[in-house]
Amino acid sequence: MDQQRSGASRRPASRLAVGVVSAGRVGSVVGAALTRAGHRVVAASAVSDDSLARAARHLPGAEILTPPDVVAAADLVLVAVPDDAIAPLVASLPVRPGQIWVHTSGALGAAALRPARDAGALTVALAPAMTFTGRDEDLERLGGISWAITGEAEARFVGEALVLEMGGEPEHVDEADRARYHAALVYAANHLMTLVNDAADQLRAIGIANPERLMEPLVSASLDNALRHGDAALTGPVSRGDAGTVARHLRALAGTDIAETYRAMARRTAERALESGRLKSADAEGLLDVLAHPDTEESQ
């Protein structure tokens, strides 16, 4: 019974006083989402002109204070600084027992907040599975997304409640799995941007004035197909075992920045196609030979 009362006392209330450290791309938007959920961002730290502008736009009721003063004013402390800065920053700040401390790093678990936990705070890692560009649409994109939650039992409960209040979907991730979780998201989101922008550069180099418009229907359909159908959606020369076409691609890309990336991605695509049965072993032999030997010349 006492344990139940203790848990109940730390559940998110309808009007928690939130302090944001700091008002960067993520902190300002998550702070705004907590405001929409009924909490009050009472203070935020911001130093750069961009951070001050974001605080004014997304956290208009927040007083701009130093990090220690932000913490002193808050029931819920939202730490949204670069990953490597979280642990030393938390260790340097005052903690009031009974506070809720949250960080938004995807790669780190609740262990990064250990100094606050040791001082009597409830600590939880709460990372939105979303990219933040600093544009106004960032806040609108939070609706319905997943959030990775890591913490001890009571902290997970509080994190889940906060996520649901913000209109998100909670996803519990073990402390030991946070780095792999984050690596998967980076692999999909950040590397996708690199692939798309590299492809746009190649099209621009051969005179296509608006490669983004040309690629948008194809890339959007491919992403949608991959998310809905997995490996079954794979198309293109690798899935057909079309060694001649792949060899021509490699010759055309020779000397460009993406030549070896194309080769590596084609090899990985072939592996997945073989594993899923989209590519037959007999059809893969010539393709894999082309990918293994850069100087292979296919007959036209």
Side-chain angles (χ1 to χ4, degrees), residues 102-106 108-110 122-129 145-166 168-178 181:
V102 173
H103 78 65
T104 58
S105 165
L108 301 178
L122 185 147
T123 57
V124 58
L126 206 65
I145 69 165
S146 294
W147 295 66
I149 300 173
T150 302
E152 296 179 352
E154 187 181 354
R156 289 198 305 271
F157 178 88
V158 170
E160 184 173 313
L162 290 169
V163 167
L164 292 172
E165 286 178 348
M166 289 186 286
E169 294 291 332
E171 191 73 45
H172 296 286
V173 179
D174 288 342
E175 184 84 29
D177 293 330
R178 289 288 291 213
Y181 163 83

Side-chain angles (χ1 to χ4, degrees), residues 30-140:
V30 176
L34 288 168
T35 300
R36 282 188 174 184
H39 303 292
R40 296 176 298 118
V41 178
V42 295
S45 63
V47 176
S48 71
D49 290 343
D50 287 342
S51 292
L52 289 167
R54 279 190 289 265
R57 185 166 70 253
H58 293 303
L59 313 172
E63 188 176 1
I64 304 303
L65 302 172
T66 65
D69 289 334
V70 170
V71 171
D75 302 317
L76 188 159
V77 178
L78 178 67
V79 179
V81 298
D83 293 359
D84 291 345
I86 293 174
L89 175 65
V90 172
S92 73
L93 294 174
V95 178
R96 188 170 69 248
Q99 284 180 315
I100 300 169
W101 282 59
V102 173
H103 78 65
T104 58
S105 165
L108 301 178
L113 297 170
R114 186 178 302 277
R117 189 197 69 179
D118 291 346
L122 185 147
T123 57
V124 58
L126 206 65
M130 180 48 62
T131 182
F132 294 82
T133 64
R135 298 184 176 88
D136 290 341
E137 61 263 26
D138 287 348
L139 180 58
E140 304 310 318

Side-chain angles (χ1 to χ4, degrees), residues 247 250-251 254 260 263 267 289-297:
L250 292 172
R251 290 196 294 272
E260 289 309 308
R263 186 185 303 279
R267 187 180 297 114
D289 187 60
V290 165
L291 293 172
H293 300 93
D295 296 329
T296 299
E297 293 289 330

